[in-house]
């Protein structure tokens, strides 16, 4: 990552291939993934440095896999804590429903639920970004307007917050990763659609060396008088969230003594002097989704495109999923490898998935907080049903499948409908490496048997790698369960096509030549600045 003088940043580009607005988790992820393909990016952020307040505390194994693509999975394991899962509790803290998450490395190669401190994760992401000379990060740069000239040029106006000077740069593409109050969103006249959920909650972070000795997962207390969430997010760090009552504000809870009655069910045996109140803040939890995520060369990602109530811990991950979905398509289009309409699939694929996640989060939120007979009835009906769902993540994939089938980057699968649109497992291969390590940043073709020399060279010519999945191995079983002998896997590890006919799979492979050079350099071979 280069840090240029402001004037140079404006001048150097002439026209930047990509300007990313907002250096939160979605923006830094998008910039890093683009840089891995050699795409030059200018990353503008209104703050200088990582935003210090923790917001997200959880990510799942699919998102962990994106961290691996970024090159920070190992470092993340050192700052995160696998969780046992999610429990819905009644007012007396009796378990209504439980979703267990495995600590073992599962199908994606990582624990299924992971707790962390967001500023620590963001610092990791920034440290990794620094290794990429293709990215220029400008802090204290407040974007004021984004406008398109109709000839493929986007002008980004920003103010230097230190000097008040107005500057502007030109870009081919702009990614609006500038959060809930996105200026990029307003600039493209997109509007947040309200999905009718708005609640004020108190967020309390406490540090203590005393082990609170609780079930090591997320506790969701369903209580219309005072719904609550509890979770351990670090060795000595705990997070609570409480729905605020009418008239209450964070100012009413400024000390450990003030929050003591709220946290008492979890801390009864601990002296208040052993608890340090790290922070207390009020948040309004909302469910919203932008009515469009793109206007020509301008895209919205993360909280600029969707706001998810935190009750299933999927908010930040949704932004990383956006970045993982869009970055390779954008790199492919910029390199001339993919047709421009590949970019249409971004909103088509991500919006329904994000909407599904928001609805699920809202359902849990309503079950936690709805009062009266209707609320009790809902909880009684919901709990056993929710139990039947194998897991929130599995449903998320179901909905993604339905959606991807409609997009132009997914061909009509003749044989295996069950694999297409799902993530390919990050299976351990014969040489003990995982699929993601072998597939790198390009396409992969997973095949049930060694291809012929001609087939192997066609795959290579299209910039993809071949992964042989022997029968009886994890990947071989996955293919045969999907009644396929070949699967084309996109750079974001989503299955594009699955078939019994390898030649048909090869024909379905888009050439990804310009990016192949980066892909074959391997996931860790990034440039140092
Ligand atoms: O589904 C899980 O395992 C975790 C859910 C979660 C995580 C963080 C905060 C929450 O309110 C729920």
């Amino acid at each position: 990552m280069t840090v240029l003088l402001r004037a140079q940043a404006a001048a150097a580009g002439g026209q930047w291939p990509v300007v990313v607005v907002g250096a939160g988790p979605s923006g830094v992820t998008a910039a890093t993934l683009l840089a891995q393909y050699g795409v030059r990016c200018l990353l503008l952020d209104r703050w200088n440095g990582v935003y210090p307040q923790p917001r997200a505390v959880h990510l799942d194994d699919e998102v962990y896999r994106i961290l691996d693509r970024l090159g920070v999975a190992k470092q993340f394991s050192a700052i995160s804590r696998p969780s046992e899962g999610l429990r819905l509790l009644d007012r007396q803290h009796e378990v209504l429903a439980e979703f267990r998450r495995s600590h073992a490395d599962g199908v994606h190669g990582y624990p299924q639920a992971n707790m962390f401190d967001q500023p620590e994760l963001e610092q990791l992401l920034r440290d990794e970004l620094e290794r990429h000379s293709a990215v220029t990060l400008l802090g204290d740069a407040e974007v004021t307007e984004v406008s398109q000239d109709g000839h493929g040029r986007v002008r980004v106006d920003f103010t230097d917050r230190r000097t008040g000077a107005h500057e502007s740069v030109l870009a081919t593409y702009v990614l609006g990763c500038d959060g809930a109050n996105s200026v990029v969103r307003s600039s493209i006249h997109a509007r947040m659609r309200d999905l009718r959920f708005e609640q004020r909650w108190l967020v309390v972070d406490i540090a203590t060396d005393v082990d609170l000795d609780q079930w090591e997962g997320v506790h969701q207390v369903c209580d219309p008088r005072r719904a609550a969430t509890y979770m351990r997010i670090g060795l000595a760090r705990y997070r609570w969230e409480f729905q605020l009552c009418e008239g209450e504000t964070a100012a009413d809870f400024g000390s450990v003594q003030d929050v003591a009655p709220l946290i008492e069910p979890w801390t009864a045996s601990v002296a208040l002097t052993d608890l340090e109140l790290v922070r207390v803040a009020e948040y309004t939890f909302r469910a919203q989704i932008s009515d469009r995520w793109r206007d020509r060369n301008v895209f919205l990602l993360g909280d600029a495109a969707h706001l998810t109530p935190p009750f299933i811990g999927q908010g930040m991950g949704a932004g990383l999923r956006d970045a993982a979905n869009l970055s390779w398509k954008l790199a492919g289009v910029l390199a001339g490898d993919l047709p421009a309409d590949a970019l249409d699939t971004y909103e088509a694929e991500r919006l329904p998935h994000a909407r599904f996640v928001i609805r699920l989060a809202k359902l849990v939120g309503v079950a936690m907080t709805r009062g009266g007979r209707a609320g009790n009835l809902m909880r009684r009906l919901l709990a056993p049903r929710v139990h039947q769902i194998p897991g929130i993540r599995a449903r998320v994939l179901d909905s993604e499948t339905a959606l991807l089938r409609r997009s132009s980057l997914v061909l009509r699968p003749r044989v295996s409908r069950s694999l297409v649109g799902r993530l390919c497992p990050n299976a351990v291969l014969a040489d003990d490496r995982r699929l993601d390590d072998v597939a790198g940043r390009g396409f992969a073709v997973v095949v049930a048997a060694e291809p012929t020399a001609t087939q192997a060279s066609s795959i290579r010519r299209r910039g993809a790698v071949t992964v042989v999945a022997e029968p009886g191995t994890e990947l071989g079983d996955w293919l045969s369960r999907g009644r396929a002998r070949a699967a084309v896997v996109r750079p974001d590890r989503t299955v594009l096509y699955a078939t019994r006919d390898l030649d048909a799979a090869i024909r379905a492979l888009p050439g990804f030549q310009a990016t192949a050079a980066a892909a074959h350099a391997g996931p860790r071979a990034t440039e140092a600045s």
Side-chain angles (χ1 to χ4, degrees), residues 10 47 91 159 221 310 320 334 473 526:
W47 304 110
R91 183 181 293 173
T159 305
V221 183
L320 269 66
L334 279 163
T473 61
T526 48

Side-chain angles (χ1 to χ4, degrees), residues 57-58 83 85-86 99 101 113 115 218 220 229 231 241 310-313 392:
V57 288
H58 165 267
S83 151
L86 177 70
F99 310 91
R101 310 288 181 220
M115 313 306 290
V218 178
Q220 305 277 39
T229 300
M231 57 216 143
E241 293 163 1
F311 308 113
I312 57 171
I392 287 166

Side-chain angles (χ1 to χ4, degrees), residues 5 88 100 123 132 146 182 248 380 403 406 433 476 516:
L5 292 173
L88 300 184
R100 288 218 148 245
Q123 194 54 57
H132 293 277
V146 169
S182 170
E248 285 178 338
R380 267 209 310 280
L403 139 84
R406 290 201 301 267
R433 287 188 298 166

